[in-house]
Amino acid sequence: MLTTKINRVAARAAFYSIRAYSSLPLSVTINLPNGTSYEQPTGLFINNEFVIPKQKKTFEVLSPSTEEEITHVYEAREEDIDAAVDAAQTAFNSDWSHGEPAHRVAVLNKLADLIEANAETLAHIESLDNGKSLICSRGDVALSAQCIRSAAGWADKVDGSVVETGSSHFNYTRREPLGVCGQIIPWNFPLLMFAWKIAPALATGNTVVLKSAESTPLSALYMATLIKEAGIPAGVVNIVSGFGKIAGEAIATHQRIKKVAFTGSTATGRHIMKAAAESNLKKVTLELGGKSPNIVFNDADVSKAVQSLVLGIFYNTGEVCCAGSRIYVQEEVYDEVLAEFKKAAENIKIGNPFENDTFMGAQVSVAQMDKILKYVEIGKNQGATLVSGGERFGDKGYFIKPTIFGDVTDDMAIVKEEIFGPVVTISKFKTVDDAVTIANNSNYGLAAGVHTTDINKAISVSNRIRAGTIWVNTYNDFHQNVPFGGYGESGFGREMGAASLDNYTQVKAVRIALTKTN
Ligand code: NAI
Ligand code: MG
């Protein structure tokens, strides 16, 4: 296994060096499995044009469901980030930020329309590049459009207020945009995270330099074409493909970037916060990992609860920051829930992401697949019982079977650490207080699920769990108007809804001394 991996890495490195300085066209035709084809941009998107980076380097983009190369794209380095920031700064100084907000309303609505008009292409790009099933990709596309449309609705309602301090003064506040914002997104929801990031930034009049994740750069570049078509002015959104340690680092440490919004691992989040502190104290918002509890009480509707458990951990192949990866079931219904959950997990259709009824596609990369399988071994070695799955599905593509571990204890790595794959632990609890205690026994605090038919229990337990989102009798159930973000080491700042605007505005107070007139 290890040798194969090393060989694969070596082969890729050799390939990379051959192609690195070749002249890749700025657009390539990609044939999709549904028989259509589309033009995939490969350049950096700066000032509304696709450009070749200064060093002309490219990197390979892989399809995780076939392990085959899709294309190469151009790679941004420090000097390219500077060029993107220049463009974004010029755009920030223009009417985009300081003119009529109605303009931002119009172009954001147009962008949402274009996403919907290109929904199938976008969904296919996402499944090709990330490996997720079309079911998941289609959901991502729909929510992306809704999120941008919702932000469009806010764009002309970002108001300040008048503050009363008596008749000697007149005071008012304004909510002003921050300037050039850096946005660094992950690979698990490439398009959706793109939408969640740009929507509030643009609604409030900021400009953006966004870096996609190195394993999933395609949908962001396709979105660039829609951004231009929507009439968003040059320089407002700049999109770069590239690596975290080079392009990401250049964004996090940039002196002229006023804010960085990041979604990804806790380790990288910590690093970005340090980089922000040590450079220009840019504002930071972080949406990091989780180890979210999904709790089933005795009085729950069992079959509905089981559906939520399945969605909670196996949706998007478990590559979800808020995945319900710790299941806790109250004693009386434990055996019934476990039996139904196991059956449901084993009935999941896994494989080719482009088949309409596939629920679970591939993990994003060989590295992610290996990491997940390593956790399966750790779970077994630490004495947990493998109830279902626990292995690769097929030998081509990075597929992993839905995996359930029973007989777990709180100190096990598989209960404490984020696995970011289709691996879940399930255990019993006795009382409501026990459920709240174990739910809160984590440094993370992104989400939690509560399954009960008792409204009092639902509300009181929701109030006591320390997490940014509580889903009652549902899970992974997002809405563009409902804020999402973390408590504790899951990060800070909120995305979607009115709360997301706060991260992209700063309050200016104007206090005017009045002179008495007769
Ligand atoms: P990562 O956090 O390193 O990558 C996310 C993004 O950050 C990518 O765009 C990457 O290029 C960028 N990045 C990486 N290093 C950077 C740096 N020094 N400065 C600026 N940007 C940087 O996550 P990675 O390595 O892809 O995955 C590792 C683990 O992180 C996963 O196994 C998973 O557990 C977790 N993860 C969590 C996500 C979430 O949504 N909470 C999303 C992706 C990964
Ligand atoms: Mg890929």
Side-chain angles (χ1 to χ4, degrees), residues 184-188 211-214 242-245 248-249 262-265 268 271-272 287-289 321 368 371 418 420:
I184 301 175
I185 61 171
W187 39 259
N188 54 337
K211 190 192 86 61
S212 55
E214 43 273 57
F243 294 91
K245 290 207 160 57
E249 197 74 31
F262 169 78
T263 299
S265 66
T268 302
H271 176 80
I272 283 175
E287 202 265 88
L288 308 175
C321 49
Q368 195 59 24
K371 174 184 164 182
E418 183 179 50
F420 224 67

Side-chain angles (χ1 to χ4, degrees), residues 128-193:
L128 189 66
D129 197 1
N130 166 280
K132 64 171 75 190
S133 65
L134 268 184
I135 291 179
C136 293
S137 296
R138 287 181 176 134
D140 294 355
V141 175
L143 185 53
S144 297
Q146 284 152 359
C147 175
I148 288 171
R149 190 167 285 118
S150 173
W154 283 111
D156 60 354
K157 298 169 193 72
V158 184
D159 295 332
S161 59
V162 171
V163 183
E164 263 317 326
T165 60
S167 58
S168 66
H169 288 77
F170 177 68
N171 313 270
Y172 65 93
T173 63
R174 303 186 74 214
R175 291 173 70 192
E176 298 186 337
L178 306 175
V180 179
C181 298
Q183 306 191 312
I184 301 175
I185 61 171
W187 39 259
N188 54 337
F189 290 95
L191 176 69
L192 190 61
M193 293 304 104

Side-chain angles (χ1 to χ4, degrees), residues 167-330:
S167 58
S168 66
H169 288 77
F170 177 68
N171 313 270
Y172 65 93
T173 63
R174 303 186 74 214
R175 291 173 70 192
E176 298 186 337
L178 306 175
V180 179
C181 298
Q183 306 191 312
I184 301 175
I185 61 171
W187 39 259
N188 54 337
F189 290 95
L191 176 69
L192 190 61
M193 293 304 104
F194 180 97
W196 283 16
K197 291 281 179 287
I198 66 160
L202 301 194
T204 46
N206 296 278
T207 59
V208 161
V209 175
L210 179 142
K211 190 192 86 61
S212 55
E214 43 273 57
S215 45
T216 53
L218 300 186
S219 55
L221 293 176
Y222 189 80
M223 282 297 290
T225 61
L226 304 186
I227 278 171
K228 194 168 173 175
E229 195 181 337
I232 295 180
V236 168
V237 181
N238 304 276
I239 300 164
V240 295
S241 315
F243 294 91
K245 290 207 160 57
I246 302 170
E249 197 74 31
I251 290 173
T253 56
H254 208 283
Q255 290 295 341
R256 285 180 292 142
I257 290 182
K258 297 290 192 285
K259 181 227 163 81
V260 63
F262 169 78
T263 299
S265 66
T266 307
T268 302
R270 272 183 217 286
H271 176 80
I272 283 175
M273 208 166 157
K274 269 195 215 149
E278 285 165 6
S279 53
N280 62 343
L281 280 173
K282 55 178 68 64
K283 296 185 192 324
V284 179
T285 45
L286 302 175
E287 202 265 88
L288 308 175
K291 193 73 187 173
S292 299
N294 206 352
I295 302 166
V296 184
F297 287 100
N298 285 338
D299 58 18
D301 175 328
V302 167
S303 64
K304 273 198 192 152
V306 166
Q307 278 175 27
S308 285
L309 301 184
V310 169
L311 265 184
I313 188 64
F314 301 128
Y315 188 75
N316 212 52
T317 64
E319 290 173 349
V320 182
C321 49
C322 51
S325 51
R326 294 187 286 145
I327 296 176
Y328 297 106
V329 185
Q330 205 164 8

Side-chain angles (χ1 to χ4, degrees), residues 416-485:
K416 286 165 76 169
E417 295 168 23
E418 183 179 50
I419 299 174
F420 224 67
V423 179
V424 72
T425 63
I426 182 163
S427 45
K428 273 182 218 183
F429 68 89
K430 284 196 169 72
T431 67
V432 171
D433 282 348
D434 291 345
V436 171
T437 306
I438 47 182
N440 285 335
N441 185 19
S442 170
N443 295 335
Y444 291 118
L446 197 50
V450 175
H451 303 277
T452 174
T453 49
D454 175 348
I455 185 71
N456 294 305
K457 197 182 291 170
I459 294 174
S460 70
V461 170
S462 298
N463 287 345
R464 291 170 68 192
I465 293 179
R466 291 192 297 272
T469 293
I470 315 285
W471 280 300
V472 177
N473 296 330
T474 183
Y475 206 93
N476 276 338
D477 188 348
F478 296 94
H479 191 283
Q480 65 275 12
N481 300 351
V482 180
F484 180 79

